């Protein structure tokens, strides 16, 4: 009952309803409160509204006629008349229960007049404080609204139930609290008076005794108020209008506006609506029951969350403490190594101090003895020992030769603590699902027989363990930087074979792979060490296959280095020429790792080998890359010859990228018409492909016509040099990443000075041309004579 109290209070005054009236919006107001919030509207407004509504429409049926809602309330707290900009505004106030209401627009009625008899000004407007709908009152004023007799009865019963406990009506002195009520006798009894005056036998045995509260309700202390018609105050409601959904009297049916409406018996509709309300209450009761059960569940969840939080915090603290303990143990081990290094350095230095001290003492003694001998005045005696003393002095001096007075040990500690991986792991320390629905995949197995390197590319293959049944969603392949640095992800996907291009020549890479699914990530596979090609021609002449080695590390302690065998000479003759790879990541279903090269004469091999040894040249065979070229480029001759079908310059790159070593390649001009300006050089993978090479900051090039050439980078033209190209000319490009320079030649003669310096990064051979030019690429060549002689002089 206490939860119902808010339903029984007026939204204006905040107290229990007194003489409540029903507004057309179904909300209730005290009659006095309704009078207090009336607002007077302009005369023209009232007349216009009534003409718009017509005589056949009720003044309160505004729910179907939005034109009557003339008063609005803005979020700023002020109301105004719709359609009248010049109308005054009235500030909004709040009732005791928080609902915004409007103050009276006129002085309150005289004290001696009751709320129901006080006159209502003409053209008054009332706004519901709950839904803020407005209505202009007619001549009847507030009497046009029906009174809510049911609400009055509910309030009476509620107030009676909240009153003081009922007393016994038969106690002679101080009445005791009543415990029962006899419905037939209509008397409240305490236990003593019931046994004395209302025995449960004889004719009183058939009387019905009920609790006092129930008896008070059934007693109906106040007489029932009969509802009367609002249009005909002397008539009681006798029928129910189905169309208007309201009780009506017989005069409303005979001569009122309900004469043509469908009506039904008041008692039948009363029972029907009670049944409908009961059914609706059943559904609402189910929702309330579910809400109570849900609240119980939420309260249980609060308690469980608190318990789990304490447990999880304890687990987290224990795990972090274990990590701290492990770090402390490792710290002690590292400090022990530092102490050993400290003791070793001190021992070496102290031994050197002791040895040097003894030797210095001997040398000082010899010097003092010699000085005393020099003081001798006997020539013959001096000459007898002088020769031996001279030899001893020279021998002692030789013993103090270069390096004797140099410290055998440095003061620096050659121990560099690499804490980067640990810091990275600490920063990546995060929560994972503690209760996994499925297990984490097993660590993949690298298939060594399918892993290989080719030039500066590496292909790796892996698989799940044979007995593993855990579902795998994908794999993560990681490589280091070729210098023993940190691992980085190079592939994430479902494939079990991957080719990584654009690696450094003559470098050692470590690779590892792990699997993952929704539950988490597996352990890493065993680490695989791969050696990219050195590219020296002597090795290539002996082994047509580029050599590669696979070193499985982190294996068992007795693991051995594995070297994959090269194909036999008969197999080499059957190998087909394969293009190298671009610097992008490629996925291939299979990879043979084989390539075939042209054999050179023995004299050429010896001279080339000597020059390569002195220059540390890396030889690579490659072709143009259709995948990264402009769509206007036309390829032929196994992608070694290119031209263009556009009059504008278009860029094409080689498949292999270089980041270290010395590399030289040539391009032969097969066609040269109308004196175009082709450009030759190197570029980054993201160079712009639809303009001349060197126009942007991603390319370094030499462009040349039939008379002269220029170097160009970032659209800057430098070093104009006489000498152009014709059909059959050969352009050479020499990229020396050891000295970080780029040099060009035409017909084996250097063209201009060193074109570019400070070349660092990953560079791809590049050409830009139009339809008037066709060039053919030649790779795997020795450096030209002008560069060999200059390198030998340097």
């Amino acid at each position: 009952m206490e939860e119902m109290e808010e339903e029984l209070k007026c939204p204006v005054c905040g107290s229990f309803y007194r003489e409540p009236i029903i507004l057309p919006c179904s909300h209730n107001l005290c009659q006095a409160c309704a009078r207090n919030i009336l607002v007077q509207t302009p005369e023209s407004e009232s007349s216009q509204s009534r003409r718009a509504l017509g005589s056949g429409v009720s003044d309160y049926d505004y729910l179907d006629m939005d034109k009557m809602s003339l008063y609005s309330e803005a979020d700023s707290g002020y109301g105004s008349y719709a359609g009248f900009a010049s109308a005054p505004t009235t500030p909004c106030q709040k009732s005791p229960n928080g609902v915004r209401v409007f103050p009276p627009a006129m002085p309150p009625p005289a004290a001696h007049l009751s709320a129901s008899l006080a006159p209502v000004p003409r053209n008054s407007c009332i706004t519901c404080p709950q839904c803020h709908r407005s209505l202009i009152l007619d001549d009847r004023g507030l009497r046009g609204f029906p009174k809510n007799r049911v609400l009055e009865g509910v309030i009476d019963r509620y107030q009676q139930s909240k009153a003081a406990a009922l007393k016994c009506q038969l106690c002679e002195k101080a009445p005791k609290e009543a415990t029962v009520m006899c419905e037939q006798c209509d008397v409240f009894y305490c236990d003593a008076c019931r046994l004395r005056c209302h025995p449960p036998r004889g004719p009183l045995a058939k009387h019905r005794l009920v609790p006092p509260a129930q008896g008070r309700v059934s007693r109906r202390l106040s007489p029932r108020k009969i509802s009367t018609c609002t249009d005909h105050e002397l008539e009681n409601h006798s029928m129910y209008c189905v169309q208007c959904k309201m009780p009506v009297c017989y005069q409303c049916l005979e001569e009122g506006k309900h004469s043509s409406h469908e009506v039904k018996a008041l008692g039948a509709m009363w029972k029907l609506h009670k049944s409908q309300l009961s059914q609706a209450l059943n559904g609402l009761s189910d929702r309330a029951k579910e809400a109570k059960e849900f609240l119980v569940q939420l309260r249980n969840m609060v308690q469980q969350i608190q318990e789990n939080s304490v447990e999880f915090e304890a687990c987290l603290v224990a795990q972090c403490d274990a990590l701290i303990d492990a770090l402390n143990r490792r710290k002690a081990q590292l400090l022990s190594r530092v102490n050993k290094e400290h003791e070793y350095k001190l021992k070496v230095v102290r031994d050197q101090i002791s040895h040097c001290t003894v030797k210095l003492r001997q040398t000082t003694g010899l010097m003092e003895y010699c000085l005393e001998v020099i003081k001798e005045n006997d020539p013959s005696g001096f000459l007898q020992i002088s020769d031996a003393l001279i030899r001893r002095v020279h021998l002692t001096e030789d013993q103090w030769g270069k390096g004797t007075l140099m410290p055998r040990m440095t003061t620096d500690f050659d121990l560099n603590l690499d804490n980067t991986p640990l810091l990275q792991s600490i920063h990546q320390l995060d929560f994972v699902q503690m209760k996994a629905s499925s297990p984490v995949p097993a660590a993949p197995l690298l298939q060594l027989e399918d892993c290989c390197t080719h030039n500066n590319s590496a292909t790796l293959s892996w698989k799940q363990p044979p007995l593993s049944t855990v579902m795998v969603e994908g794999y993560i392949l990681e490589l280091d930087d070729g210098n023993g640095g940190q691992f980085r992800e190079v592939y994430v996907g479902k494939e079990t074979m991957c080719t990584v291009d654009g690696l450094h020549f003559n470098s050692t890479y470590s690779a590892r792979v792990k699997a993952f699914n929704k539950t988490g990530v597996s352990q890493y596979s065993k680490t695989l060490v791969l050696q990219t090609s050195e590219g020296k021609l002597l090795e290539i002449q002996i082994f047509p296959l580029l050599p590669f080695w696979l070193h499985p590390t982190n294996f068992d302690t007795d693991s051995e280095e594995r070297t994959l065998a090269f194909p036999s000479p008969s197999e080499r003759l059957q190998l087909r020429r394969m293009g190298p790879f671009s610097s992008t990541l490629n996925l291939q279903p299979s990879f043979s790792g084989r390539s075939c090269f042209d054999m050179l004469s023995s004299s050429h091999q010896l001279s080339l080998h000597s020059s390569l040894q002195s220059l540390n040249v890396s030889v690579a065979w490659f072709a143009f890359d259709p995948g990264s070229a402009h769509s206007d480029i036309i390829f032929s001759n196994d992608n070694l010859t290119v031209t263009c079908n556009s009059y504008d310059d278009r860029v094409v790159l080689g498949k292999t990228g270089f980041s270290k070593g010395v590399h030289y390649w040539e391009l032969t001009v097969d066609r040269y018409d109308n004196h175009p300006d082709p450009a030759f050089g190197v570029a980054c993978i993201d160079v712009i492909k639809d303009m001349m090479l060197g126009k942007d900051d991603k390319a370094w090039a030499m462009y040349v016509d039939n008379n002269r050439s220029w170097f160009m980078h970032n659209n800057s033209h430098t070093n104009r040099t006489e000498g152009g190209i014709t059909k059959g000319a050969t352009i050479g490009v020499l990229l020396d990443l050891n000295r970080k320079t780029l040099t060009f030649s035409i017909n084996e003669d250097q063209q201009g000075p060193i074109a570019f310096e400070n070349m660092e990064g990953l560079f791809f051979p590049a050409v830009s041309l139009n339809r008037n030019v066709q060039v053919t690429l030649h790779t795997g060549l020795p450096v030209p004579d002008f560069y060999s002689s200059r390198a030998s002089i340097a």
Side-chain angles (χ1 to χ4, degrees):
M1 293 289 288
E2 294 180 356
E3 297 176 355
M4 183 182 64
E5 186 169 325
E6 290 300 322
E7 293 286 335
L8 308 180
K9 291 184 177 180
C10 175
V12 177
C13 62
S15 304
F16 289 107
Y17 286 104
R18 294 184 299 274
E19 297 183 358
I21 58 175
I22 306 175
L23 299 179
C25 57
S26 300
H27 293 124
N28 301 284
L29 279 178
C30 296
Q31 192 170 22
C33 296
R35 181 176 296 275
N36 289 336
I37 64 173
L38 289 176
V39 177
Q40 190 171 2
T41 61
E43 181 67 27
S44 57
E45 172 73 6
S46 177
S47 59
Q48 290 178 0
S49 300
R50 289 197 178 100
R51 285 196 302 269
L53 289 172
S55 59
V57 182
S58 171
D59 287 340
Y60 348 106
D61 288 340
Y62 75 99
L63 292 174
D64 298 328
M65 305 288 293
D66 290 339
K67 294 181 180 180
M68 294 199 64
S69 184
L70 300 176
Y71 197 91
S72 64
E73 180 190 3
D75 292 337
S76 61
Y78 289 88
S80 62
Y81 295 106
F84 293 91
S86 60
T89 59
T90 305
C92 184
Q93 298 177 350
K94 283 190 176 182
S95 68
N97 61 352
V99 179
R100 290 187 290 184
V101 297
F102 299 94
M106 70 293 293
H112 64 277
L113 294 177
S114 65
S116 59
L117 298 179
V120 175
R122 296 182 58 191
N123 306 327
S124 295
C125 174
I126 187 171
T127 300
C128 177
Q130 291 181 292
C131 65
H132 306 298
R133 291 184 178 271
S134 302
L135 175 71
I136 297 177
L137 276 62
D138 58 8
D139 295 336
R140 295 175 297 173
L142 296 177
R143 291 182 293 105
F145 298 113
K147 292 181 173 57
N148 196 337
R149 303 297 184 187
V150 176
L151 180 58
E152 283 186 298
V154 173
I155 293 174
D156 289 342
R157 291 194 297 272
Y158 179 77
Q159 290 178 332
Q160 291 170 9
S161 64
K162 297 288 288 184
L166 295 177
K167 302 297 182 179
C168 177
Q169 294 177 314
L170 298 180
C171 291
E172 296 181 356
K173 295 182 179 180
K176 298 180 181 179
E177 184 176 347
T179 56
V180 294
M181 173 193 172
C182 178
E183 290 185 340
Q184 284 72 24
C185 301
D186 195 15
V187 176
F188 291 92
Y189 297 96
C190 63
D191 290 338
C193 294
R194 179 179 59 82
L195 293 176
R196 177 169 53 86
C197 304
H198 199 284
R201 58 183 180 276
L204 300 180
K206 296 181 180 181
H207 289 195
R208 184 169 179 263
L209 301 179
V210 296
Q214 182 179 348
R216 180 171 54 186
V217 173
S218 60
R219 194 171 186 178
R220 301 188 182 278
L221 299 177
S222 59
R224 180 178 178 183
K225 298 180 180 179
I226 301 175
S227 177
T228 59
C229 180
T230 55
D231 294 333
H232 311 91
E233 297 181 356
L234 300 180
E235 300 295 336
N236 296 331
H237 290 144
S238 58
M239 300 297 288
Y240 181 82
C241 179
V242 178
Q243 182 175 345
C244 299
K245 297 181 180 180
M246 59 182 300
V248 295
C249 66
Y250 80 95
Q251 289 190 10
C252 293
L253 299 179
E254 292 181 355
E255 56 188 25
K257 58 184 178 181
H258 303 280
S259 58
S260 60
H261 295 175
E262 179 186 0
V263 294
K264 290 187 178 181
L266 192 63
M269 294 303 297
W270 172 57
K271 293 181 180 180
L272 177 62
H273 282 202
K274 274 195 173 183
S275 175
Q276 293 176 353
L277 181 59
S278 299
Q279 293 177 1
L281 285 176
N282 289 335
L284 188 60
S285 176
D286 294 339
R287 300 290 85 78
K289 182 178 179 181
E290 293 176 0
K292 290 181 180 179
E293 295 174 354
F294 181 65
L295 286 175
V296 173
Q297 179 184 358
L298 292 180
R299 293 189 180 97
N300 294 335
M301 287 181 63
V302 170
Q303 181 179 0
Q304 190 64 32
I305 289 173
Q306 292 176 347
E307 296 175 357
N308 291 343
S309 175
V310 174
E311 179 182 357
F312 192 80
E313 287 178 1
C315 180
L316 178 62
V317 170
Q319 290 177 332
C320 292
D321 290 343
L323 293 177
I324 294 173
D325 293 340
L327 184 61
N328 288 331
R329 289 193 297 270
R330 188 59 180 168
K331 173 184 174 182
Q333 295 173 358
L334 295 176
L335 287 176
S336 175
R337 290 180 56 184
V338 172
N339 291 334
K340 290 181 180 179
E341 182 73 11
H342 168 250
E343 294 174 358
Y344 172 72
K345 286 181 177 290
L346 288 180
K347 181 178 181 304
V348 172
V349 173
R350 286 170 179 169
D351 291 345
Q352 192 173 8
I353 291 174
S354 176
H355 180 267
C356 186
T357 301
V358 173
K359 197 170 185 62
L360 179 61
R361 186 182 303 113
Q362 295 174 353
T363 301
T364 305
L366 179 62
M367 291 173 58
E368 293 177 353
Y369 174 69
C370 291
L371 290 175
E372 293 298 326
V373 170
I374 292 175
K375 296 177 182 179
E376 181 62 40
N377 295 325
D378 183 6
S380 60
F382 178 81
L383 292 175
Q384 287 179 349
I385 62 174
S386 62
D387 188 59
L389 285 177
I390 292 173
R391 286 196 303 271
R392 284 187 62 189
V393 170
H394 284 301
L395 180 62
T396 303
E397 183 182 2
D398 291 339
Q399 291 178 351
W400 291 100
K402 184 178 180 180
T404 305
L405 299 179
M406 296 291 294
R408 298 177 184 175
M409 185 62 63
T410 62
T411 58
D412 297 330
F413 283 75
D414 300 330
L415 299 174
N416 295 322
L417 182 62
D418 184 12
N419 62 348
T420 303
L422 180 59
L423 289 176
Q424 184 178 4
S425 299
I426 292 176
H427 293 156
Q428 294 176 351
L429 189 63
D430 203 349
F431 298 106
V432 296
Q433 188 174 359
M434 298 182 62
K435 298 179 180 179
S437 57
S438 60
V440 175
L445 299 178
L446 287 167
Q447 296 181 282
L448 302 182
E449 63 277 7
D450 295 331
C451 298
C452 58
T453 60
H454 174 82
N455 272 356
N456 61 341
S457 302
T459 297
L460 297 103
S461 177
W462 58 88
K463 65 179 181 180
Q464 281 296 104
L467 301 180
S468 177
T469 59
V470 180
M471 184 184 65
V472 176
E473 294 186 0
Y475 300 91
I476 301 175
L477 176 63
E478 296 182 357
L479 259 71
D480 64 357
D481 59 358
N483 294 318
Q486 296 183 8
F487 283 89
R488 63 188 187 277
E489 294 182 1
V490 296
Y491 169 70
V492 178
K494 297 182 179 180
E495 300 294 333
T496 57
M497 179 173 284
C498 176
T499 298
V500 184
D501 300 326
L503 304 177
H504 300 311
F505 282 94
N506 193 22
S507 299
T508 301
Y509 287 89
S510 297
R512 63 188 183 183
V513 65
K514 59 184 177 180
F516 65 89
N517 60 12
K518 292 182 179 179
T519 302
V521 182
S522 72
Q523 298 292 328
Y524 285 104
S525 66
K526 297 176 181 179
T527 303
L528 190 66
V529 178
L530 305 103
Q531 175 74 37
T532 56
S533 172
E534 294 183 3
K536 293 185 178 180
L537 193 60
L538 182 61
E539 296 173 356
I540 298 172
Q541 189 267 334
I542 296 174
F543 303 108
L545 274 178
L546 291 179
F548 56 91
W549 297 266
L550 300 175
H551 305 279
T553 59
N554 295 341
F555 283 35
D556 298 336
T557 55
D558 57 349
S559 63
E560 298 180 356
E561 179 180 294
R562 294 188 55 186
T563 303
L564 302 187
F566 295 101
S568 62
S570 61
E571 292 176 337
R572 298 173 195 163
L573 299 178
Q574 302 174 2
L575 300 181
R576 62 184 178 88
R577 186 182 183 92
M578 295 185 61
F581 300 89
S582 65
S583 67
T584 57
L585 183 66
N586 298 324
L587 294 178
Q588 300 179 356
S590 62
F591 178 73
S592 64
R594 301 177 175 181
S595 59
C596 182
F597 309 102
D598 297 331
M599 306 301 293
L600 305 176
S601 65
S602 59
S603 60
H604 192 185
Q605 293 168 8
L606 293 177
S607 62
L608 179 59
H609 177 243
S610 61
S611 64
L612 291 177
Q613 278 188 331
S614 62
L615 294 177
N616 190 21
V617 179
S618 297
V619 178
W621 281 259
F622 61 90
F624 288 116
D625 182 18
S628 62
H630 193 277
S631 58
D632 293 338
I633 298 293
I634 302 174
F635 295 85
S636 60
N637 189 23
D638 292 334
N639 298 332
L640 294 175
T641 301
V642 292
T643 183
C644 181
N645 59 11
S646 172
Y647 286 105
D648 297 324
D649 291 313
R650 300 292 186 250
V651 174
V652 58
L653 301 179
K655 276 195 171 183
T656 301
F658 305 110
S659 58
K660 61 187 297 186
V662 182
H663 308 275
Y664 178 72
W665 61 93
E666 292 180 348
L667 299 109
T668 302
V669 180
D670 302 329
R671 186 176 71 250
Y672 186 78
D673 303 329
N674 301 324
H675 309 299
D677 299 331
F680 310 89
V682 296
C684 300
I685 188 63
D686 54 347
V687 64
I688 299 177
K689 306 295 195 312
D690 56 358
M691 63 172 59
M692 179 183 289
L693 193 70
K695 287 283 188 179
D696 63 351
D697 61 347
K698 304 295 184 182
W700 297 256
M702 176 188 73
Y703 73 94
V704 57
D705 59 14
N706 60 326
N707 292 321
R708 60 193 67 82
S709 65
W710 294 263
F711 301 145
M712 184 166 61
H713 170 66
N714 199 15
N715 205 23
S716 175
H717 308 254
T718 59
N719 296 97
R720 172 179 169 176
T721 305
E722 296 299 325
I725 61 174
T726 59
K727 180 179 178 180
T730 299
I731 295 88
V733 182
L734 198 151
L735 177 63
D736 188 348
L737 292 174
N738 295 335
R739 298 175 179 171
K740 304 177 182 179
T741 61
L742 180 64
T743 308
F744 297 96
S745 65
I746 296 180
N747 297 327
E748 298 186 357
D749 293 328
Q750 183 173 346
Q751 183 73 1
I754 295 176
F756 301 100
E757 297 180 338
N758 300 321
M759 302 289 291
E760 292 185 0
L762 181 64
F763 303 101
F764 291 81
V767 178
S768 68
L769 43 77
N770 60 15
R771 64 184 306 167
N772 294 317
V773 182
Q774 177 178 306
V775 297
T776 298
L777 176 66
H778 304 277
T779 62
L781 303 176
V783 297
D785 294 337
F786 72 84
Y787 198 77
S788 301
S789 59
R790 188 178 66 187
S792 61
I793 295 175

